[in-house]
Amino acid sequence: METITSVSEMQQRAQAAHAAGQRIAFVPTMGFLHQGHLSLLKEGRKRGDLLVLSIFVNPTQFGQGEDFEDYPRDLRRDSELASSAGVDIIFAPTATEMYPKGYACYVDVERITETLCGASRPGHFRGVTTVVCKLFNIVQPHLALFGNKDFQQLAVIRRMTLDLNLPVEIIGMPIFREVDGLAMSSRNVYLSAEQRWQALALSRALAEGRRLVAAGERDAAAIVSALSGLIAAEPEARIDYIEICHQLSLENQARVDADSVLLLAVFFGKTRLIDNGFLWPDA
Ligand code: AMP
């Protein structure tokens, strides 16, 4: 396994792989790898000849007062995990390598970036699409794998890839959870034992939403209200949003149907966690 930090070196490796007829599979991350990331790498390993993992805590997707400085980083541990997952290349540039002096270019996806996490974190998706577009130009993958954990992010990246005619197949992967149901996230390390326990309200709310729909409830407002009560019962929970949206447009739905996704963002103390899931039975 190689670790590359230079943009031009990564581009040369990608071009050589293309010339040799290799398929490049790519998993972009911010590092501090967990089993959710590893599930993406495992799938990438199956689908590609050259498996590239990027590790880059991207400053442009963090707002003021967010956790950019504190975001957990451990490149040595990540390298060991990546090597055991069969990664061929880790691309781990510095912030100045990605955004050198004079940098002035951004990618903006309209509309679906304006709701949910986009409303709570202004500028966040502009940072995400900018860095993913740059990474696609650098790594030149045939396919890229993203988690459904960041449901809106995946929808935004699909939109960007389609609209900008980027020659990359986007693959969405299921949410990987701890045995007790908490969605894996690098940010889970911020939680105290008590907050970690209370955070199980998220997966409980998803299960309760599905139970209500299976029992015949179709009124989105009634479901959101029931789930708000369930989550707000946790003393350290502060709800950012609970919404039921169409899986493609991400527009709010009044009535639940087979395309309905429940999306949650909740603070436990200072830590903001997200989770989501389909509501329709067998979806
Ligand atoms: P991050 O390092 O948090 O930016 O995540 C990098 C990629 O891993 C994104 O495509 C995430 O959606 C995905 N990911 C993060 N957590 C999980 C999880 N629990 N299950 C599946 N994919 C995940």
Side-chain angles (χ1 to χ4, degrees):
M1 188 179 76
E2 282 174 78
T3 300
I4 295 177
T5 56
S6 134
V7 166
S8 60
E9 196 183 334
M10 184 66 239
Q11 279 176 321
Q12 279 163 22
R13 287 287 284 112
Q15 275 154 18
H18 279 260
Q22 288 186 311
R23 253 177 101 67
I24 304 177
F26 178 43
V27 177
T29 77
M30 297 205 297
F32 210 68
L33 301 182
H34 52 66
Q35 286 183 67
H37 298 119
L38 297 182
S39 68
L40 272 54
L41 290 171
K42 202 169 157 193
E43 186 63 23
R45 184 65 285 169
K46 277 195 232 153
R47 293 182 183 237
D49 304 308
L50 188 76
L51 178 58
V52 181
L53 161 72
S54 68
I55 297 181
F56 181 59
V57 184
N58 173 36
T60 63
Q61 71 188 69
F62 288 79
Q64 279 214 329
E66 291 190 347
D67 57 342
F68 174 68
E69 305 290 344
D70 297 335
Y71 196 85
R73 295 160 168 92
D74 190 342
L75 188 56
R76 186 179 300 177
R77 179 175 158 276
D78 285 350
S79 300
E80 283 166 16
L81 288 168
S83 167
S84 64
V87 168
D88 296 307
I89 298 176
I90 297 181
F91 177 55
T94 60
T96 37
E97 181 72 3
M98 290 294 275
Y99 301 109
K101 199 162 180 288
Y103 188 87
C105 194
Y106 293 87
V107 178
D108 233 328
V109 174
E110 295 179 351
R111 294 192 295 281
I112 53 166
T113 54
E114 286 156 20
T115 59
L116 302 163
C117 289
S120 309
R121 304 181 67 190
H124 168 67
F125 285 119
R126 181 179 188 250
V128 169
T129 44
T130 298
V131 82
V132 171
C133 187
K134 284 169 66 66
L135 287 167
F136 282 0
N137 285 329
I138 297 164
V139 175
Q140 300 169 32
H142 295 82
L143 59 119
L145 300 104
F146 293 86
N148 270 326
K149 156 91 187 330
D150 300 271
F151 195 89
Q152 187 178 17
Q153 169 175 282
L154 178 54
V156 169
I157 285 165
R158 284 192 196 284
R159 187 80 255 164
M160 171 184 79
T161 306
L162 193 69
D163 289 358
L164 296 183
N165 312 103
L166 304 178
V168 184
E169 182 189 355
I170 305 297
I171 295 161
M173 294 289 294
I175 300 177
F176 204 96
R177 296 178 181 279
E178 304 278 1
V179 277
D180 60 9
L182 183 68
M184 290 206 181
S185 164
S186 307
R187 289 191 166 99
N188 289 351
V189 293
Y190 297 147
L191 300 169
S192 67
E194 181 54 38
Q195 290 166 347
R196 166 76 183 67
W197 176 249
Q198 294 184 26
L200 293 177
L202 294 186
S203 50
R204 269 207 314 278
L206 287 165
E208 177 60 8
R210 278 193 290 269
R211 192 193 66 76
L212 290 168
V213 173
E217 182 62 79
R218 296 288 179 270
D219 182 40
I223 296 171
V224 167
S225 159
L227 303 184
S228 301
L230 187 155
I231 292 175
E234 301 299 337
E236 293 201 54
R238 183 164 57 82
I239 295 168
D240 182 359
Y241 63 72
I242 301 180
E243 295 189 35
I244 293 176
C245 300
H246 187 281
Q247 61 164 323
L248 299 178
S249 68
L250 296 188
E251 279 167 13
N252 277 116
Q253 291 184 307
R255 306 278 303 165
V256 170
D257 62 24
D259 284 312
S260 300
V261 186
L262 172 67
L263 297 124
L264 312 167
V266 180
F267 285 94
F268 291 88
K270 282 188 184 163
T271 306
R272 183 176 177 277
L273 300 182
I274 56 172
D275 204 341
N276 68 79
F278 284 91
L279 286 173
W280 206 248
D282 302 325

